[in-house]
Amino acid sequence: MGRRSGANRDCFLLNPAAKSALHMTMFRFLGVLLGIAIRTGSPLSLNLAEPVWKQLAGMNLTIADLSEVDKDFIPGLMYIRDNEATAEEFEGMTLPLHSP
C-alpha cells in the first residue's frame, strides 16, 4: 500500500535496515551536520518526518506517530495486535484495509 495517506507523507524517513558500513558513515555525517547546525544556530532545512525527530530526541514512538506517516497501515497493525492466532491461522488471514 505504501505511504499514500498521512500528514508526513512528503517527508523523509530513516531506513532502519540501513546498517552497512557506508550507511553508518552516512548517518554519522548527518549527526555531525545536525550538531554543527545546532552549535552555530544555523537553520538546517531537513524535511524529516515528525517521528524521526522524536527518535533523534530519544523519545518513544506511539501509534499516533506511525499514523502521521502512514495511517492506512494502522488498521492492519491493530488487527495483528488484537488477535492471537497460530502461525497457520496467521498465514491464512486477510488483513482489513480500513478500520470498521
Side-chain angles (χ1 to χ4, degrees):
M1 197 167 290
R3 294 175 32 192
R4 293 186 194 153
S5 63
N8 289 301
R9 66 176 184 244
D10 62 332
C11 298
F12 293 103
L13 297 170
L14 301 179
N15 184 352
K19 297 180 182 181
S20 72
L22 174 63
H23 292 131
M24 292 298 113
T25 301
M26 294 167 86
F27 284 134
R28 186 176 190 294
F29 175 78
L30 178 61
V32 169
L33 191 63
L34 287 170
I36 291 170
I38 291 168
R39 282 192 302 266
T40 62
S42 302
L44 193 60
S45 181
L46 290 176
N47 201 16
L48 297 175
E50 207 172 306
V52 175
W53 290 111
K54 281 183 76 173
Q55 286 182 301
L56 290 173
M59 300 170 71
N60 291 327
L61 297 180
T62 65
I63 296 293
D65 294 319
L66 182 57
S67 181
E68 287 290 318
V69 176
D70 188 353
K71 71 178 184 178
D72 290 338
F73 183 69
I74 301 300
L77 183 65
M78 295 297 98
Y79 184 81
I80 291 169
R81 184 194 70 182
D82 296 339
N83 288 288
E84 294 181 25
T86 64
E88 295 81 26
E89 291 171 330
F90 183 74
E91 290 295 324
M93 287 182 190
T94 57
L95 299 179
L97 296 177
H98 301 285
S99 52

